[in-house]
Amino acid sequence: MEDASSELLDRSHAYWSERAPEYAALHDARRHEALRASLRTLLRDLMPQVEGRSVRALDVGCGSGFMSLILAELGCEVTAVDFSEDMLAEAARNAERAGVSSIAFQQADVQRLPFDEGTFDFAVSRNVLWVLPDAAAAYAGVLHALRTGGMFVNLDANYGRAFNAAAAAGGEPVHPTQSTAQLLERNAIVADLPITRAQRPAWDLATLLDLGAAEVRCFQDAERLLGIDEPERFSAQASAQERAALFIVCARK
């Protein structure tokens, strides 16, 4: 079983690393100002207050740095982790282009976060847990890394379930910048993951409470909350007929 999980992680690493340049271009901050403004407002409202220093923030699965840059704009001291060195390279280039120096990029598997308890005040993640073989381990690691009273904000959807439903209905996978071969590999990677079979976000809330979160909240209609319009919905579209519902889960330690 461990060998199968390791092989799946290797395939996932290869998939996301191959996508890094295309993914970075698709999520270029300069193309998504309205969404970034909505996310800045959301994170500012949810971010814990600290006295006498900057908020220490963790971007869990940072990809090309989309959320990391927003955290930096909010004045946070940011640590951004991803398992793909290629994604981290794109994120570092994006930070340099934006003139941001308050982000430390670190290679790490978000299922095994290497941080001491209480390291961070705030943590965020966007569209990451859906692709993990052990999403519960990622939740546990984030809560461990937060201080008491710290907050985790996770934006996600059960993309894998939508991909499976689309495939079962005979729908062709759609995406504005990926090839059909890449989409089929993505679907194969996530098809049988435990999180794909979970009822989300109910599973997320129950898991976080079981892990000891003091408080959890959920916004189920996240597209409406963030004002996401049609051009921004590419990540939720599994086929012409199937879409994944974006949600936001917040957990206070």
Side-chain angles (χ1 to χ4, degrees), residues 189-247:
I189 289 169
V190 302
D192 295 321
L193 294 182
I195 194 153
T196 295
R197 299 190 295 272
Q199 293 291 337
R200 304 185 71 197
W203 176 87
D204 300 74
L205 300 175
T207 299
L208 286 161
L209 287 171
D210 285 345
L211 289 169
E215 175 189 0
V216 296
R217 299 169 62 194
C218 180
F219 304 94
Q220 293 207 74
D221 192 359
E223 288 188 348
R224 181 191 60 79
L225 176 68
L226 295 171
I228 297 176
D229 57 18
E230 196 64 36
E232 296 280 5
R233 294 179 181 176
F234 53 83
S235 64
Q237 198 71 44
S239 70
Q241 293 75 35
E242 294 287 340
R243 297 189 75 254
L246 182 68
F247 58 82

Side-chain angles (χ1 to χ4, degrees), residues 19-20 29 113 131 147 158 187 239 241:
R19 279 199 66 190
L113 289 170
V131 77
R147 65 167 173 82
N158 202 341
N187 291 3
S239 70
Q241 293 75 35

Side-chain angles (χ1 to χ4, degrees), residues 4 21 44 49 84 106 113 117 129-130 134 175 207 216-217:
R44 183 184 294 115
Q49 299 300 307
S84 167
Q106 181 173 339
L113 289 170
E117 186 168 8
L129 269 73
W130 69 275
D134 193 349
H175 193 276
T207 299
V216 296
R217 299 169 62 194

Side-chain angles (χ1 to χ4, degrees), residues 40-84:
R40 272 195 301 271
T41 299
L42 174 77
L43 297 182
R44 183 184 294 115
D45 290 345
L46 294 170
M47 188 166 57
Q49 299 300 307
V50 298
E51 295 293 333
R53 60 172 175 81
S54 299
V55 170
R56 297 183 183 119
L58 173 66
D59 187 358
V60 182
C62 66
S64 57
F66 191 85
M67 297 294 279
S68 305
L69 289 172
I70 295 173
L71 290 169
E73 290 167 8
L74 291 172
C76 297
E77 177 187 317
V78 185
T79 299
V81 301
D82 201 280
F83 74 156
S84 167

